[in-house]
Structures are given as structure tokens and as C-alpha cells.
Amino acid sequence: MGHVGDYLFDALRNASEKGVVVGMTSQCIWGRLNMNVYDQGRDLLSLGVLSLDDMLAETAFVKLRWVLAQTTDPAEAKKLLMKNVANELLNRTVYGKIGC
Amino acid sequence: MTVDYKKVGLKSGLEIHQQLNTKEKLFCSCEPELFKDDPEFTFLRILRPTQSELGQVDSAALFEFQKGTSVLYEATNKTACLVEMDEEPPHGLNSEAVEISLITALMMKMKPVDEIHVMRKTVIDGSNTTGFQRTSVVALNGAIEIKGKKVGIQQISLEEDAARKTGTKGQVINYRIDRLGIPLIEVTTAPDIFTPQEAQETALAIGTILRATRRVRRGLGTIRQDLNVSIRDGALIEIKGVQELDLVAQIVENEVLRQLKLLEIRDELKKRGVTEQDIKDDFVDVTSVFKQTSCKVIANAITQNKIVLAVKLPCFDGLLKKELAPGMRLGAEMAGMARFWGRVGGIFHTDEMPAYGVTVEELNRLGKLLEKQPQDAVVFVADTPENAKDALNAVICRARIALQGVPEETRAANIDGTTKYMRPRPGAARMYPETDVPPIQITKEYVNELCNRLPELPEQLMKRLKAEYGLNQKLTKQIVNSEYIDLFETLARQTKVSATVIAVAFTETLTALKREGVNVDAISDDQFTQLFKLIGSGKAVKESIPDVLTWLAKHEDEPAEKALKSLGLGMLTQKELEKIIDEVLDKNSEFIEVRGQGAFGALMGMVMKKTRGRAKAQVVNKVLKQKLEHHEA
Ligand SMILES: [Zn+2]
């Protein structure tokens, strides 16, 4: 479901306000993040943290570096990060087909 | 029997469920399509109903699952993901579905809610992998007009459709989860309907408004009607799953009759002096009576070590076979409850005896064992001791209710306009919030924007169709009420076929084919489009429409061109046509000699009959005229 401790909230809010792109992924290989299930997730969403769905953490890191080479505008960067480029970000997870 | 509906105090309300034609399902991105072939994977679940969040569960379903029922879910990767499997939380509410339901609400002059909250409604029959159905109120308090009378629309909800049952094998129920999660709109009317005819007209009007959004699905099972019917001194009966709109009036009529007759039975029982205490659960094992029976059902049961258990219903003689409404009897009502609570195949009762191979002699011995008097009835059932006991308990329960009149219950609609016992009426809605889906704000700006682009209302649509396509009044009305209104307009614009021909095909022709038993729902939009394109380009004639549609209904996904070929309905070449005409002329040369040009009409008829829709009347006319002149010369 994806969580961090409350003690990080101030730092996250600061980063967000300064235009730093903050996204959350899970370390699970299969499945996706759903930040609407628990309060902590919903709080993080309201702090501006993006839910990176089924993107793997390593992929997300590399993708963000690529995104920041395309644009430095935070809004534009968030849009690019949330757009599927090479099946790294899909809106469906199906049974029996791990990966894509 | 004619009934004064006002006098009996008929009150009826409708609940109409319509699938929406969205790109994705309500809480995930799966395709809202059903699969026909074998499932790609299955998974078995055992539902364990617990005292849920609200501490209430459906007693009937709980009963079912305490007996150890499990569910085998069938799925394909295309039509289901982890959300349907309940392995992943729901995604956000599908905004396209929200928009369609808001549009429908505004067309019925309803007030949208400020915030849409998704709720969970406990459903533990296995049709939802979660054990609940997600539903959300979208708008409240509207009205539509039926022949000058206002019928209130209480509420519109947006819901996820349930999985569809594909079979039962022993203790395992099969469900396909392709349908689970398809967006469904539920329109609930106020109990403002006072005659069966009004019920049907209201259902039709709501259906027409839903289709006027142009964003609902069509075909068998995409719209389902539930009816609530009550009369004074009767009970509120919920009738589920009316698939044919034409049956609504008949079902309401039958329900009124059924309730009136049940009240008559109550009075008769009172006259006979029966009280609740007289109906006792004194079950008697009568297996010995049937040791050598020629009744196959009972003989079979006995060889499987089952028993025959019987109970006496004092003073019920003749009442079990009394017809309540066409095709419905008190005996069948008892059998329905026995099936539900006792899991038996059916029951036997003395009102229908001797029959099914049970002899008079066996009945006499049965009667003796139960101390049956002539005015009594006896009900017996052959099954395991446990099932037989549960079944007879249901029977005496139903018999006791007969003393009070009409029991509140949920009934299922049959395709012939009758209904049957389904289950007890569930208690008040068991709903609690779905906390995994954030609520959606419905802003004034959004509602205003939607108001500015509402689709045409049915009346406006009728006016425009008449003007734009030159359809007559009757045909316009039929096509507006039809599921095919959308496709009609597309084809009338895209093809060169006359709009009237297309409209007739979608209304009169399809209705006629349906009556002949053709499964017209199987014909796809693509197939219709291909057929009318062929007609438009002169490769087929309109006379071939019924034959081609019949063929297409039996050959899913096959092109219309193939239908023409295999039916031998491809257009004749000039040469082929000339050959047919020559043959007709030769055969009738004497007739032509006598009648001269006057033979034309009759000859034309003969040629048209022979060409069977493979030549245009105009062309035949021209060629025949020329040939006839030559023939004389
Ligand atoms: Zn899905």
C-alpha cells in the first residue's frame, strides 16, 4: 500500500513546495501501489506525492532522470513521469502474466 | 378475471438496471466485454460470511454457505485483472460512467448529489468476489411524465455489475467474472404506478431515456428490470430479473392475481377453522410405503439410501392445486421454498395424486400412517434425512403463512410472464462505506456544463428523425424505442440505403425474426453495417435482409458477404438474369400469345419469385419489357 512515517511529512511538504518531484513506488515486483486505502497514503497524496502505480523503484529512478533531462518544469515533469513510455507503467495487473 | 386495480390498491415501483457503454470497467481498466470461449484460468473461493461490519448478513445466504458451498470463478486476462479477483484494491471511480449517470439524471430532472460516495452492499451469494457490491448514489428526486401523469424517480445509482452464474455442480457454484465490474446504472422509481399498463409504459419510457444518452450497452442481459408490487392487505413483493420489457404488464397482472388468490385461500382456511397450532412439524418417515414403488424419483432416492418424509397439512385438501395466476399454484410456492431451504428437487403432495407412478394403494397407506382425514393434504419428499427435514420445515412454514395471507418475499421472473419463489426478502439495505475509493466532488460548474450539452430527449429526437429522414410517425416511434437507434442513425448517414428500409429492418424485421426464435442479439454492429453497405452499393437487395440476418445470427463474427454467398443471394449478372427471363418466357409462350402485353404483370411476378432477391425489381422490369416485346415479334 505504501507508507512512510509521519516524521518525514515536513520534509516531503518542503520538497514538494520547492518543486521537487516526489513519487512513491513499492518494492514488490508484482502488483501496484494504491495510496487511497490507508490514511497515511491519502496524507502523502495531499502532500503532493505521486502514486507511481506498478512502476518498479529502479525503473522510476532512471525514468525520473530521463524526464528531468527533457524538462525542468515540475508540473511538466510529473506529467511525463506518469505517462507510460515502454510498458513500465500500466493500468492493469493481470493474473498469470508477471511483468507486463 | 378483470381486476379493478384501483379497488385492490395496486402500487408498483420499478428498479431498472442498465449497463453503460464505457471503455473501461467501473473500478479498473479492464474491457467491459463478456467472453464466449473457455476460461483461461479459474480459481476456487470459499465464502465465509462473518458478522460483517454492520453485524448483519443475509440469513438465507448465510444458511447456504454454512452448508459448505464454494465458488469457482472463471476468467480471461483480457476481461479481468487483480481488481476483479479481489487481489488488488479498486482504482478510482470511472469518470466516464459518472458522466453518463449524471447526464441520465439531468434528463430526468433530478438533483445530483454534491459528492459521490461509494458504498459496499453485502451480497454473499458468491456473485461478487469481495462479498459485497459497490454502489453509489448519483442523484435524487426527479420525475418523468407518463401520458400526462408524473411518476417520481427517487434515485439514480452507479453500481458495479455482478459476476454471471454459469452453472452449479454439487456444492460448487460457477461464476464468470467478466461481467463483474461493468458499470451499471440503477434507476429507482417512486411507488407511483397504479396499473400494470402504467408499469410497462414507465419501464419503456425510462429505457428510451437511457438509450437517448447514446451511451448504454445493448443486447440480451444489458438491461434488467426489477418490479415491486403490492396490493391492499397483500404484501410488498420484489420480482427480480425481468429481461423482456413486453412482459412487465403481464407480470404485474399475474402478481396481483396471485396475491388476491392467496387472500382467498386465507379466508377459506379461516372458514375451515385451521389455526397455526394445527399445522405441526410432526414428520413421519414413510419410506416403507414406497419400497416397491413405480415412481422413479422415489425409487431412485430409496436406492441411494435416502428417505421419504411426509407431513400432514390439516384442512388443506384442494388448496395446493388451486391456481393462483396462470401457471402458479400454492403447491408450487411450497416447492419453491422447499427447494431453497431444503435443497431438494421438488415435493409431492396429495392434491396432484395419483400421479408420477404413485398408486392409490400407496396413497392409502401413506394416509393411514399420517392419520389423514379427507379434508387434509399430505406433502412428502424423498431426499437425505437432513434435506427432507429442512424441506418439510419450509413447507409447514409456508402453510402457516397461508393463514395470514401473502408473505413478503423476493421472486424471480420466468420468461413466460409467471414468477417463482426465489428467497426471503432481505432486510434493510446492508451498506457501509467503501473506504478504498475516494469520494468524487460534483461541482456546480460541471453540472452546468453537462446541462448545456444534454442529448436530445426522446420527443425532440422523434421530431428530428421525422424531419431528417422522412420516417412516418409509427416507424419513428418504433426506432426511438429501439435499442438500435444509434446504429440506425449511423447507417442512415453512412450508407446509401433509404432510412425507411434501415428503420424497418431494425424494428419490424428484427421483431418478426425474434418471434421465429432467431437470436437477433447475436448479430454484431459490424455485421449490420456490412449488410447495409452491400445493399447500398447494389451488391444485395433489401428483400434479402431477413434471410441474411437469420444467417448472421447463427454465424457469429462471419461477414455479411459470406451470408449472401452461402444463401445464394449474391446479385445475378445480366446474363444470369436474362437466362431466367428467357426460361420464364419460353414456359409461358401460350399464355403470352393470348394475353400479349397484358401478361407482363404475371410474368414479372414469376421472374421476381425466381430471382429471390438477387435482382433489383427495376432491372427485372426493364429487361423483361424488352424481352417481352422481342418475344411477340
Ligand atoms: Zn479489471
Side-chain angles (χ1 to χ4, degrees):
Chain A
M1 300 296 155
H3 301 288
V4 297
D6 286 359
Y7 62 89
L8 275 173
F9 278 18
D10 280 341
L12 288 170
R13 188 179 295 114
N14 262 332
S16 226
E17 280 166 5
K18 288 197 173 123
V20 176
V21 178
V22 184
M24 183 144 90
T25 68
S26 159
Q27 291 192 322
C28 299
I29 297 173
W30 195 45
R32 73 184 53 244
L33 209 63
N34 187 323
M35 294 173 63
N36 281 309
V37 176
Y38 294 113
D39 272 348
Q40 205 77 358
R42 289 190 284 261
D43 290 345
L44 288 167
L45 281 173
S46 66
L47 288 176
V49 176
L50 291 175
S51 169
L52 299 184
D53 282 11
D54 67 341
M55 236 191 295
L56 297 171
E58 293 79 1
T59 312
F61 181 69
V62 174
K63 187 177 179 185
L64 185 57
R65 289 168 69 179
W66 170 78
V67 163
L68 292 174
Q70 316 293 313
T71 176
T72 49
D73 173 38
E76 192 60 30
K78 282 181 184 177
K79 238 192 243 164
L80 264 177
L81 187 63
M82 293 308 293
K83 206 177 138 199
N84 176 40
V85 178
N87 287 347
E88 81 287 1
L89 178 64
L90 296 175
N91 50 15
R92 295 178 68 229
T93 310
V94 295
Y95 179 74
K97 272 193 194 172
I98 293 177
C100 57
Chain B
M1 180 169 144
T2 49
V3 178
D4 183 341
Y5 292 106
K6 206 169 175 184
K7 217 169 131 197
V8 301
L10 167 64
K11 262 191 192 177
S12 177
L14 307 177
E15 250 176 51
I16 298 195
H17 299 91
Q18 166 79 59
Q19 286 181 354
L20 303 181
N21 195 8
T22 49
K23 287 187 200 72
E24 299 180 349
K25 287 191 181 180
L26 194 54
F27 294 107
C28 68
S29 296
C30 289
E31 232 179 62
E33 294 291 339
L34 305 184
F35 66 90
K36 294 175 207 128
D37 302 327
D38 289 338
E40 290 170 0
F41 63 96
T42 59
F43 52 101
L44 189 78
R45 294 269 166 88
I46 297 165
L47 273 178
R48 293 183 207 284
T50 53
Q51 296 295 308
S52 70
E53 272 87 339
L54 283 193
Q56 291 174 328
V57 286
D58 188 325
S59 61
L62 183 63
F63 183 81
E64 180 91 357
F65 281 97
Q66 277 167 347
K67 302 273 171 193
T69 308
S70 56
V71 188
L72 187 72
Y73 292 105
E74 309 170 340
T76 63
N77 281 320
K78 203 171 162 194
T79 57
C81 67
L82 294 188
V83 174
E84 286 92 335
M85 297 175 72
D86 193 31
E87 294 290 350
E88 182 182 309
H91 303 183
L93 196 55
N94 179 333
S95 56
E96 190 187 5
V98 171
E99 181 172 304
I100 302 171
S101 39
L102 280 173
I103 286 174
T104 313
L106 293 170
M107 287 171 85
M108 297 188 192
K109 304 188 180 76
M110 301 179 74
K111 194 180 173 312
V113 296
D114 299 331
E115 222 171 48
I116 298 179
H117 287 264
V118 181
M119 305 290 283
R120 297 173 172 181
K121 187 157 69 181
T122 309
V123 176
I124 48 175
D125 60 2
S127 63
N128 293 69
T129 48
T130 48
F132 52 77
Q133 181 194 28
R134 298 188 183 96
T135 177
S136 54
V137 176
V138 170
L140 297 162
N141 297 332
I144 56 171
E145 216 166 272
I146 304 296
K147 294 204 166 144
K149 177 187 154 173
K150 258 201 179 131
V151 173
I153 306 292
Q154 285 180 337
Q155 177 175 311
I156 280 189
S157 298
L158 184 57
E159 312 185 325
E160 55 180 354
D161 205 344
R164 60 191 173 113
K165 201 171 178 171
T166 46
T168 322
K169 223 188 218 166
Q171 299 258 75
V172 182
I173 314 173
N174 285 47
Y175 278 104
R176 275 196 182 184
I177 57 171
D178 47 5
R179 200 178 71 180
L180 180 61
I182 293 184
L184 203 64
I185 199 173
E186 183 198 66
V187 182
T188 313
T189 77
D192 289 349
I193 295 160
F194 303 135
T195 70
Q197 207 47 44
E198 240 171 58
Q200 180 141 336
E201 279 158 11
T202 307
L204 182 70
I206 294 172
T208 306
I209 291 174
L210 286 166
R211 281 189 295 278
T213 64
R214 306 289 182 102
R215 291 164 81 178
V216 297
R217 300 173 74 80
R218 74 165 167 78
L220 192 69
T222 55
I223 184 161
R224 303 193 288 274
Q225 277 110 178
D226 296 347
L227 314 174
N228 290 311
V229 182
S230 69
I231 62 171
R232 196 172 303 117
D233 299 330
L236 182 58
I237 298 294
E238 195 180 1
I239 300 168
K240 292 264 183 204
V242 184
Q243 295 213 346
E244 289 286 336
L245 193 66
D246 298 345
L247 285 178
V248 170
Q250 195 192 336
I251 288 175
V252 176
E253 248 171 69
N254 282 342
E255 181 52 29
V256 173
L257 281 180
R258 194 186 69 92
Q259 296 200 20
L260 288 172
K261 280 284 152 64
L262 284 175
L263 294 177
E264 274 176 30
I265 287 178
R266 174 195 68 184
D267 296 343
E268 174 63 25
L269 284 167
K270 244 181 225 161
K271 226 167 50 194
R272 294 184 187 183
V274 195
T275 64
E276 260 185 51
Q277 290 77 34
D278 297 335
I279 304 169
K280 298 194 185 89
D281 56 351
D282 294 338
F283 305 148
V284 183
D285 188 329
V286 293
T287 318
S288 63
V289 172
F290 297 98
K291 277 282 184 270
Q292 258 112 45
T293 189
S294 48
C295 171
K296 276 188 194 146
V297 178
I298 297 180
N300 269 340
I302 292 176
T303 54
Q304 292 169 40
N305 275 327
K306 292 177 175 172
I307 61 160
V308 186
L309 203 62
V311 69
K312 182 169 72 178
L313 300 179
C315 300
F316 269 74
D317 181 58
L319 296 180
L320 300 187
K321 67 175 173 195
K322 192 177 164 111
E323 188 160 74
L324 305 172
M328 293 191 259
R329 290 164 209 279
L330 183 57
E333 305 280 304
M334 287 181 173
M337 276 183 73
R339 271 187 209 108
F340 183 83
W341 294 101
R343 304 156 302 278
V344 296
I347 59 169
F348 297 97
H349 59 79
T350 45
D351 267 10
E352 55 179 358
M353 293 290 161
Y356 309 116
V358 177
T359 62
V360 176
E361 204 244 312
E362 283 165 342
L363 290 170
N364 285 338
R365 286 169 56 203
L366 174 76
K368 224 172 249 165
L369 279 176
L370 283 123
E371 296 169 9
K372 173 187 179 301
Q373 300 299 311
Q375 71 274 18
D376 300 336
V378 170
V379 175
F380 52 108
V381 54
D383 213 302
T384 61
E386 194 200 5
N387 286 358
K389 200 176 144 220
D390 285 341
L392 290 190
N393 266 321
V395 166
I396 57 167
C397 169
R398 184 64 189 82
R400 284 180 186 145
I401 298 170
L403 301 177
Q404 296 155 20
V406 189
E408 278 202 359
E409 63 197 19
T410 302
R411 303 181 65 84
N414 297 321
I415 45 170
D416 61 356
T418 60
T419 59
K420 62 174 179 235
Y421 177 82
M422 191 176 171
R423 51 175 156 84
R425 247 173 80 79
R430 305 160 303 278
M431 299 235 251
Y432 53 102
E434 165 61 272
T435 48
D436 293 350
V437 180
I440 292 189
Q441 310 264 344
I442 304 299
T443 63
K444 277 213 176 77
E445 293 72 36
Y446 183 42
V447 172
N448 285 340
E449 190 242 319
L450 289 178
C451 280
N452 286 331
R453 57 177 173 95
L454 285 187
E456 291 166 301
L457 282 166
E459 309 86 70
Q460 298 166 321
L461 181 62
M462 276 192 60
K463 242 187 223 165
R464 184 174 62 78
L465 290 183
K466 262 196 258 175
E468 200 170 329
Y469 301 106
L471 301 180
N472 67 32
Q473 170 76 18
K474 189 178 154 216
L475 204 50
T476 315
K477 204 168 169 188
Q478 282 176 338
I479 197 75
V480 167
N481 286 338
S482 139
E483 289 181 293
Y484 294 91
I485 171 68
D486 238 357
L487 192 55
F488 159 77
E489 274 218 74
T490 312
L491 293 178
R493 281 181 188 159
Q494 277 180 8
T495 68
K496 288 181 197 126
V497 186
S498 105
T500 302
V501 169
I502 303 174
V504 168
F506 278 132
T507 54
E508 286 160 24
T509 309
L510 285 186
T511 309
L513 291 178
K514 221 177 189 174
R515 271 195 204 120
E516 286 167 27
V518 178
N519 179 19
V520 297
D521 285 322
I523 309 169
S524 70
D525 288 12
D526 278 347
Q527 289 176 319
F528 279 116
T529 309
Q530 291 158 4
L531 171 59
F532 286 107
K533 279 195 172 149
L534 287 169
I535 297 172
S537 59
K539 285 186 188 136
V541 288
K542 63 176 202 286
E543 286 77 11
S544 69
I545 292 176
D547 288 341
V548 174
L549 291 180
T550 307
W551 191 93
L552 290 175
K554 286 183 205 140
H555 298 81
E556 274 178 62
D557 304 328
E558 299 264 25
E561 207 151 8
K562 200 165 165 195
L564 290 177
K565 235 183 228 161
S566 65
L567 289 168
L569 286 175
M571 294 300 277
L572 293 170
T573 60
Q574 181 80 11
K575 255 197 190 146
E576 287 167 327
L577 177 61
E578 283 182 18
K579 199 176 151 216
I580 289 178
I581 292 179
D582 285 339
E583 277 168 15
V584 170
L585 293 178
D586 283 347
K587 249 191 211 158
N588 295 284
S589 46
E590 265 177 51
F591 175 63
I592 297 167
E593 243 166 68
V594 181
R595 300 285 294 271
Q597 285 294 332
F600 183 81
L603 292 169
M604 180 77 192
M606 285 183 235
V607 176
M608 283 308 285
K609 208 172 160 194
K610 279 214 155 172
T611 57
R612 275 186 46 233
R614 291 174 298 161
K616 281 193 179 166
Q618 275 165 283
V619 182
V620 175
N621 189 308
K622 202 173 122 199
V623 179
L624 180 63
K625 229 174 220 163
Q626 285 170 357
K627 293 247 174 194
L628 190 58
E629 275 161 26
H630 284 286
H631 197 84
E632 276 179 292

